[in-house]
Amino acid sequence: MDKAEFMEKAAQHIIDANEQAAVKLAQEYLDEGLDPVEMIEKGLSEGIRKLGDLFDRGEVFLPHLIIASEAMTAAVKVLEQAMPADQVGKKLAKVVIGTVEGDVHDIGKGIVATMLRVYGFEVIDLGRDVPIATFVEKAKEADADVVGSSALMTTTQVGQKALEQALKDAGIRDKLTTMVGGAATTEHWAAKIGATFWAENAGDTVMKLKEIFS
Amino acid sequence: MGMSIAHGVAAGMGGIRTAGDLVARMQMARKMRINDAKAYVAKKLKVSPADLSDVHVMREVREELDLGIITSVPGCAKGIEAKVRIAELLDIEIAGVNRLKEKMKF
Amino acid sequence: MAKYLTRRGDGALIEMTSEEIMSDLEAGTADAADKGKIAPLSKDDLDILLDIFTNPTRFVSVEPGNEVVVTHDIGTLRVMGDQGNSGVGIPLSRVQGIQVHERAFCADTMELGHIDYSFKPVKPVIAMEQQEMENALLVTILPLFYGAMPNLGLYYSPDGPFGNPSDLLPAGKIQESYEAQEGAVEHAIRDMVYVCERLAEVGCDGINFDTTGAAGDTDFKATLHAVEHLKKNTDMCIEVGMAGEFVLGMHGGLEYEGQQLAGLYCHDQVKLVEQAGADIFGPVVNTKPSKNMPWNVARAVTFVKACVEASNIPIHVNMGMGVGGSPIFETPPIDSVSRASKAMVEIAKVDGL
């Protein structure tokens, strides 16, 4: 099998959420002495990217995405055996994410968290109805690179504005990327409160964070 | 709130100012599509489908048939009284009307 | 080159040339056609849309004779509710709110709803809802629905008895997630049927299942089964309004009458709703705030037109804030709202809004 074929099959095994096949292929790839980093970036990640598109279109569903992410994790674990130590377990960035206090909607936020993990981010998901102080504490404790907040309601999105101020008051806003999302939010809102960016959906979040951290 | 009113003014039939409630009842009672519902109500009221959204025509029709009118005129049918007439005119069942009839035994 | 005022999806005012508008319209309809695997709008339809968007007046409307039925959701919360319900905080009673809609807001139908607008919280206070409905029915002429959301999210922890799929799935507990969702479906059907049957007892004209599918395919399944039961056991009109243009696959494996629910778009959703026995269907197409209104309206009209053509029951497209081509803004600008209305009636040929 040539490299292009390996890449294509790897992507397909992820799309199919076939962990066994993905792991077997990863080992066969290593046995050929090929570059493991390239397989992660161009083979497996391509599968995740296509799966993300299919999810946005409503053609694959959340459990499938989760199983596919587990297949990716298992295949990456095999490839890491042949990677330089400083590349192993390397995450693109550390993200603290949650739904703001007073808001219990978290389906969308959960999908964002899943997709970010799948794309190589370390995600600390604080859950729903999260006090502002908790966002700030966790961002400090984890030495986060990104703080993301979700709000579905116009009454709770004010929490995102309060979060921006709280991060400034804590002296950590400047070293963070902040992102806002949720049905109540828009690009205008993000600009108004001083967030780094607004994300329309999980795919948009991944794309914007990868632009900053890749 | 302004949005709802905007939709009503831009595209709505006009409620009890005209025949909007009556056409709605045919959609609800018999799953009629809009043109069928309008044709049915127009026939019952002896007007054209276009007249159903015309306040000038419908005010008089509603007043004559005592189906309830938009301004509050003492003596004109209101509430359940209007609905009793509407059910009879349109030949449909209105649950609240049937309940009243059953309780009052008429 | 002449420029025309229009808006972004978030309601901000912008200017576009007619070429830019047409390009947006074509892209919007193409997006819907691609995602839904349906026909894009024809050249004639796009030309009508272009006329709508290049009309210089602030407010546009349908031509006389093309008027449709306008139904309302969210009960009277838009009058006496808070910001969270896009309410203006006027302290009217609910019966007064309904009368205001009937007599001042030209509503063709109206809806009674609880402040906590979901079926689960209404169950313990159903007697209150019954008496309110009885009072309202006596003093109003227009058809009166009772509206609430299936909102299956309330059946998961911390609010309900079942594990939360949003926690179970990322932890890899797929089977547990399936079981939690299937359990929630059964509880929700039971509660929705109970609430609706109590309202039928007092003469309610109809039920509006609002934002069906908000919690995914579980939500949709529960609603379809509740509708089926209610149509067999009561005489009420049933309207099913959705939450999005496709059904989110939180479970992925749920079916109704052999049809998988996850991933269904409007024109397929309506077939199942019809099969369950519902009388009216309310498709939803979400506005994308990052796109301009011409794109959003063309996209929404494309989806809804396919739905209208596939349906045998009346279609009352949802056109609240952020759906059906209305901008995502707390007080959607009437120039955009009226254009979306006109487009839905005269191109998609809906039976109501």
Side-chain angles (χ1 to χ4, degrees), chain B residues 3-4 6-7 10-15 20-21 24-25 27-28 31-34 38 53 69-70 79-80 83 96 99, chain C residues 61-62 65 67-68 78 103 107-109 134 137-138 140-141 143 277-279 308 311 313-314 316 319 337 341 351:
Chain B
M3 175 191 68
S4 315
H7 280 311
M13 289 203 64
D21 60 318
R25 288 212 181 263
Q27 293 194 328
M28 294 167 67
K31 304 186 190 198
M32 287 184 176
R33 307 302 291 267
I34 187 69
K38 283 181 178 178
S53 307
I69 51 177
I70 189 69
I80 192 78
K83 286 190 282 197
R99 182 175 175 236
Chain C
S61 71
V62 303
E67 300 88 348
V68 297
R78 69 173 60 83
R103 295 183 170 276
D108 297 308
T109 76
E134 283 176 311
L137 286 170
L138 288 171
T140 53
I141 299 169
D279 303 279
V308 168
S311 175
I313 60 175
H316 286 193
M319 298 197 71
V337 164
S341 286
D351 304 284

Side-chain angles (χ1 to χ4, degrees), chain C residues 1 25 28 59 63 71 78 93 140 142 157 162 186 230 233 241 295 297 303 309-310 317 328 335 339 342 353:
Chain C
M1 193 176 282
L25 293 173
F59 193 86
E63 289 179 10
T71 55
R78 69 173 60 83
S93 71
T140 53
L142 83 181
S157 69
F162 297 99
E186 293 308 315
L230 290 167
N233 294 285
W295 186 94
V297 171
F303 276 123
E309 288 167 358
V317 59
I328 298 179
D335 46 89
R339 278 161 175 76
K342 184 174 169 74
L353 309 179

